[in-house]
Amino acid sequence: MRGDGDGWVVSQGQAYWGRYGAAGLLLRAPGRDGAPVVLLQHRAAWSHQGDTWGLPGGARDSHETPEQAAIREAHEEAGLPAEQLTVRKVVETKIVASDGVSWSYSTVIADAQEMLHTVPNRESAELRWVAVDDVAKLPLHPGFAASWQRLRDEFASIPLLVNRQL
């Protein structure tokens, strides 16, 4: 279903997806050895910046908070059930160009009790749980690559939630 946020914002020759900004879900879970892993999406080759790794996410609709948009997109693109996600923090990257156009991408950091089963949609070539130290070894989406270290630092200061009551 197409939302009212679908569309490009163009500023100074750069195009950004999402008329009201965009949001993605940086989902953490304990890996097999207990160390945190994150869920990454290998973007379909046909998509913008395709064949790169990033976060499930997409355009925000006019009525959505960043958390709502990220969770909706993660459900659509990875089959993740909202009730098994605990939002921990939102990290916003805002772009304000000299032509007055502004756009933002919100990364919603969330935890799951375990590495949840995923179901990729047509926007995903693959979904994979990746060790934190291995993320930068993948060919990352340029926007995600530019923000990865900041995001890693942000979530390193937040203890991974485990053994909470579901």
Side-chain angles (χ1 to χ4, degrees):
M1 182 172 162
R2 190 169 170 88
D4 71 346
D6 286 354
W8 294 98
V9 172
V10 179
S11 173
Q12 299 179 323
Q14 290 283 89
Y16 305 97
W17 181 249
R19 295 177 54 222
Y20 305 102
L25 187 73
L26 178 54
L27 184 60
R28 309 180 307 171
R32 287 176 180 75
D33 63 358
V37 293
V38 294
L39 181 65
L40 296 183
Q41 175 194 45
H42 188 193
R43 299 166 57 86
W46 60 263
S47 67
H48 181 66
Q49 302 288 353
D51 207 28
T52 60
W53 290 85
L55 304 176
R60 280 179 59 189
D61 289 334
S62 61
H63 64 279
E64 290 180 309
T65 65
E67 296 91 340
Q68 290 168 331
I71 289 170
R72 174 185 52 77
E73 287 282 343
H75 178 73
E76 290 172 7
E77 295 179 4
L80 295 173
E83 65 276 3
Q84 292 186 21
L85 311 176
T86 301
V87 172
R88 303 300 306 272
K89 185 173 189 170
V90 178
V91 179
E92 185 177 58
T93 303
K94 190 165 188 163
I95 296 166
V96 180
S98 61
D99 61 4
V101 174
S102 67
W103 182 86
S104 65
Y105 186 91
S106 299
T107 302
V108 177
I109 299 171
D111 291 343
Q113 288 292 294
E114 61 187 359
M115 294 183 293
L116 300 173
H117 174 73
T118 59
V119 180
N121 74 355
R122 67 183 198 90
E123 295 178 42
S124 304
E126 178 185 357
L127 295 160
R128 183 188 304 170
W129 289 97
V130 178
V132 172
D133 290 339
D134 293 337
V135 170
K137 296 175 186 174
L138 296 169
L140 300 178
H141 178 280
F144 182 53
S147 62
W148 171 239
Q149 190 57 55
R150 175 183 174 210
L151 294 170
R152 185 176 178 171
D153 292 345
E154 290 280 350
F155 76 66
S157 67
I158 305 168
L160 180 63
L161 282 182
V162 292
N163 298 325
R164 69 175 168 86
Q165 296 294 322
L166 293 178

